[in-house]
Amino acid sequence: MNKTLNWGILATGNIANTFARALKLSTTGKLVAAGSRTQEGADRFGQTHGITRCYGSYQALLDDPEVDAIYISTPHPMHVEWAVKAAQAKKHILCEKPISMTAREAQAMVDAAKANDICLMEAFMYRCHPQTAKLIELIQNKAIGEVRMIQANYGFNSRFDPAGRLFCKELGGGGILDVGCYPMSYSRLIAAVAMGKECVEPVDVQAVGHLGSTGVDEWSSTVMRFENGLVANLSTATQAFMDNGLKIFGSTGRIHVPHAFHPNYWGGEGKIMVQYTGWTPMQEITVKTELPLFTIAIDTFARHALSGDKQVAWPGMRWDDTVANARTLDRWRECIGLEFDADRATA
Ligand SMILES: NC(=O)c1ccc[n+]([C@@H]2O[C@H](COP(=O)([O-])OP(=O)(O)OC[C@H]3O[C@@H](n4cnc5c(N)ncnc54)[C@H](OP(=O)(O)O)[C@@H]3O)[C@@H](O)[C@H]2O)c1
């Protein structure tokens, strides 16, 4: 590999700052530019992160020939527009999760990536992390026998703000899209591994949930059944405190991953708890990493993009997985009567 990636950050909110900090530790790329809806926002971000190519529009960022890759960190409803435009500008794209509002939009983004020969990945960073690789290895080696059931949740109690992106319908509010996408993607990964595949979708999806005053889900659960009989029970919330863990129950033992979705956030030590058989003591497997979660994902993405790959290697979030995840989230939302403008869009 004889080059590194020059990154541009598109939208300068909360997670963009985390990304910029993590990128500083990367060996495969550096931050060179940022685009914001306002010049003031771009300049502020530039000052914080030490860059001078600061643009007062997203399009101006895409027009910068020095930029090789774009990190999209707008609220979810804007992902599709800017991912398609970034692909047309021939930039590689790491797009925040959920990649889109709907499976239709996710497919449009994949089509744009294909047509423009660029690398695209949905930013489920945990997919690139050694803790996830270790968990896959345990399942493949039948550490807990045959996987029968999965329980996972991701939720928090956020201050109610009807105009904020977690509650506002126009901004894609609700727990299912914001963080329910994590247990959905992780349970589908475990189900796939248990079936000796790389990507599976449930055959049956049922769900209940509570829609709040702004019309989006504030807490919700889905129960899903896969082709081999495996059952996954997932919950999410923006108005309930959850432990954000993953549990896998097998025919001979069980696994608990306390920090499945954001392991070793700034580097450190992750834990996988395994009870191999019956009522034997839980054993702890530790997974240490020097680098932050985001840096590991950034470097994984960059290595593929710089090698000319359009997709990252499995278990990184590949295109079929991304579209399947979006499709299953569509089904979860449909069960609880949560519809967005994007569901009605035709173009
Ligand atoms: N991977 C993770 O761990 C993680 C964590 C948190 C969030 N996320 C994802 O990242 C995305 C952004 O989340 P965030 O928490 O960073 O959100 P945020 O703090 O609200 O920032 C979003 C940014 O998007 C831009 N934007 C464009 N149109 C907007 C509009 N109509 N209203 C508000 N902002 C608008 C703004 O940047 P400018 O003013 O610069 O244009 C804003 O600062 C979401 O899709 C979310 O799911 C991922």
Side-chain angles (χ1 to χ4, degrees):
M1 199 160 63
N2 56 6
K3 195 181 174 295
T4 56
L5 283 185
N6 283 341
W7 283 91
I9 292 182
L10 191 149
T12 61
N14 162 43
I15 203 62
N17 282 283
T18 299
F19 182 87
R21 282 178 63 198
L23 182 52
K24 286 199 176 79
L25 299 168
S26 164
T27 49
T28 60
K30 63 175 190 296
L31 182 62
V32 298
S36 172
R37 290 167 301 169
T38 63
Q39 191 58 50
E40 190 193 2
D43 290 343
R44 197 178 324 113
F45 192 83
Q47 272 160 21
T48 305
H49 297 288
I51 49 167
T52 52
R53 306 169 89 90
C54 305
Y55 299 106
S57 80
Y58 298 151
Q59 189 57 52
L61 173 69
L62 299 185
D63 292 340
D64 183 340
E66 291 298 309
V67 172
D68 307 311
I70 295 286
Y71 171 67
I72 298 180
S73 50
T74 64
H76 347 308
M78 297 100 197
H79 289 177
V80 63
E81 174 187 355
W82 292 103
V84 169
K85 286 179 175 163
Q88 287 164 349
K90 308 287 183 202
K91 311 294 187 192
H92 301 299
I93 303 163
L94 180 57
C95 181
E96 261 313 335
K97 43 51 56 180
I99 198 163
S100 59
M101 296 295 291
T102 63
R104 221 180 110 270
E105 286 185 358
Q107 188 60 56
M109 294 158 87
V110 165
D111 291 346
K114 249 184 229 167
N116 290 285
D117 217 19
I118 53 95
C119 189
L120 166 72
M121 185 180 97
E122 183 174 17
F124 280 118
M125 311 300 199
Y126 79 85
R127 287 294 191 102
C128 305
H129 198 269
Q131 179 178 280
T132 307
K134 183 68 201 172
L135 186 59
I136 289 172
E137 185 191 307
L138 287 167
I139 302 297
Q140 284 172 334
N141 292 342
K142 309 271 185 220
I144 56 166
E146 300 301 328
V147 176
R148 306 282 200 227
M149 299 188 82
I150 299 168
Q151 272 182 10
N153 66 72
Y154 197 160
F156 45 80
N157 188 358
S158 183
R159 188 181 61 80
F160 180 70
D161 171 10
R165 74 164 187 85
L166 291 176
F167 296 96
C168 174
K169 202 165 186 185
E170 289 67 41
L171 294 180
I176 295 173
L177 287 186
D178 192 54
V179 281
C181 57
Y182 278 102
M184 178 62 75
S185 65
Y186 219 138
S187 60
R188 289 184 39 264
L189 172 65
I190 299 302
V193 174
M195 287 185 239
K197 299 181 178 177
E198 292 191 347
C199 176
V200 293
E201 285 180 62
V203 290
D204 193 10
V205 178
Q206 298 178 30
V208 290
H210 166 80
L211 302 182
S213 56
T214 59
V216 302
D217 62 301
E218 294 182 346
W219 54 89
S220 178
S221 291
T222 178
V223 184
M224 315 190 302
R225 187 175 56 82
F226 290 85
E227 198 184 342
N228 66 344
L230 193 158
V231 169
N233 178 345
L234 318 177
S235 297
T236 189
T238 57
Q239 290 280 270
F241 179 77
M242 292 181 167
D243 67 7
N244 307 336
L246 168 72
K247 289 178 180 169
I248 307 169
F249 305 118
S251 53
T252 59
R254 66 190 175 101
I255 293 176
H256 176 206
V257 192
H259 299 290
F261 310 118
H262 287 110
N264 307 8
Y265 204 71
W266 290 108
E269 209 171 271
K271 288 183 181 40
I272 300 176
M273 317 293 291
V274 190
Q275 192 172 28
Y276 288 96
T277 47
W279 294 107
T280 53
M282 270 298 206
Q283 293 186 32
E284 193 176 292
I285 297 170
T286 55
V287 181
K288 290 183 188 164
T289 48
E290 300 269 313
L291 291 172
L293 168 66
F294 275 41
T295 314
I296 292 171
I298 288 167
D299 287 344
T300 304
F301 175 85
R303 275 192 289 274
H304 285 284
L306 290 164
S307 305
D309 300 335
K310 304 298 159 263
Q311 306 184 56
V312 292
W314 183 87
M317 210 59 194
R318 296 179 65 85
W319 293 345
D320 57 348
D321 218 346
T322 272
V323 175
N325 212 56
R327 202 159 33 224
T328 318
L329 293 171
D330 285 353
R331 293 170 74 187
W332 184 352
R333 289 194 297 105
E334 193 183 347
C335 287
I336 68 163
L338 173 56
E339 197 182 44
F340 290 105
D341 285 348
D343 292 303
R344 292 182 291 273
T346 49

